[in-house]
Amino acid sequence: MKVTIVGAGNVGATCADVMAYRGIASEIVLLDIREGFAEGKALDITQCATNTGFNTKVTGVTNDYSKTAGSNVVVITSGIPRKPGMTREELIGINAGIVKSVAENLLQYSPEAIFVIVSNPMDTMTYLAYKSLGLPKNRIIGMGGALDSSRFRTYLSLALDKPANDISAMVIGGHGDTTMIPLTRLASYNGIPVSQFLSQEQLDKVAADTMVGGATLTGLLGTSAWYAPGASVAYLVDSILNDQKKMIACSVFVEGEYGQNDICIGVPCIIGKNGLEEIIDIKLNDAEKALFAKSADAVRGMNDALATVLG
Ligand SMILES: NC(=O)c1ccc[n+]([C@@H]2O[C@H](COP(=O)([O-])OP(=O)(O)OC[C@H]3O[C@@H](n4cnc5c(N)ncnc54)[C@H](O)[C@@H]3O)[C@@H](O)[C@H]2O)c1
Ligand SMILES: O=C(O)C[C@H](O)C(=O)O
């Protein structure tokens, strides 16, 4: 199975590295606009093979889309990341044009591919890809919830002092500092509600830390994060290529689900060989429904800024 990743920067290269190491795809093509950059990243990753024991073919190209032909999955990470103090939404002006042209180029050479959108603001970029490519909604998937849920589980694990893999928890809604919705009520430690172990004050802090998880790392690193984002993309692509049918919160086009229409927003999705296979309808309580409606309003508002790009 062939995967193309556009953007060989921090997230794209990390994603390629994790996918190669875990043998998720047989072939990975990294593409970047910067001369020689993707070639260099691909060669460096390839030179891990004998020490980490993988057989994935990893190549890099400078803006040559013909080398991406016939990809089963394409991942878009091209664009600029935020700097400390910025919101993801401030990236829209530059990233919208990049994502649209990259997506169109990819489709030309891989007409059957499933698209995974990573560039920020991710929900807006996913909507842009959906509207401009004209593909069925199952083939356009925004990655954000996998990462946010992983951060939520990490913060819960730290508060509980228990392994993150024993914790089940999900974040839905927009992939923004104020639009994420960590579903604390449904989070569990091996099936036991986390509220049996943590006070409301502790739970509120975990949710707040989760929501600004990306901003915290941006403040520490001077640019946005890449290890957990790259691993989260690989996790999502694995579920597609290997038809795992995992439930992963992803940004997809909604048509009535959760009371919303005509936006891409994070909802629990079954992800398999067809991309989005089903949206799971969680019975939210009234407070959660209100948070989702507010998040959807903010996500919808950002889509208005796309008018010029969408023509
Ligand atoms: N959805 C998420 O959960 C999530 C997580 C982390 C980062 N991101 C976003 O992903 C994007 C990439 O982040 P990063 O840290 O890897 O940035 P980065 O600067 O390290 O890498 C971006 C790469 O894109 C390339 N690029 C720019 N324009 C291009 C074009 N037209 N064609 C091909 N390549 C092009 C650049 O040359 C660069 O190498 C940012 O927008 C960031 O906000 C999203
Ligand atoms: O925080 C960012 O800007 C990058 C990404 O969306 C993240 O959550 O790490």
Side-chain angles (χ1 to χ4, degrees), residues 147-166:
L147 172 64
D148 302 332
S149 302
S150 158
R151 287 181 177 146
F152 188 25
R153 292 170 67 192
T154 301
Y155 283 121
L156 281 167
S157 116
L158 293 171
L160 288 161
D161 195 22
K162 297 289 185 293
N165 284 308
D166 276 1

Side-chain angles (χ1 to χ4, degrees), residues 145-147 149-150 153 168-172 183 186 235-236 239-240 243-250 258 267-272 275-283:
L147 172 64
S149 302
S150 158
R153 292 170 67 192
S168 171
M170 190 161 43
V171 177
I172 59 171
L183 291 174
L186 302 175
Y235 178 79
L236 176 58
S239 196
I240 299 170
D243 196 24
Q244 291 170 334
K245 305 206 189 295
K246 284 197 170 114
M247 194 206 293
I248 305 175
C250 295
Y258 292 86
V267 288
C269 298
I270 301 299
I271 301 293
L276 166 65
E277 303 207 337
E278 186 185 349
I279 296 175
I280 300 293
D281 182 20
I282 304 177
K283 301 292 168 224

Side-chain angles (χ1 to χ4, degrees), residues 9-11 32-33 37 77-81 95 118 120 143 147 175 229:
N10 285 335
V11 177
D32 204 283
I33 200 167
F37 191 58
T77 76
S78 47
I80 55 163
N95 286 354
V118 182
N120 272 317
M143 195 298 292
L147 172 64
H175 179 61

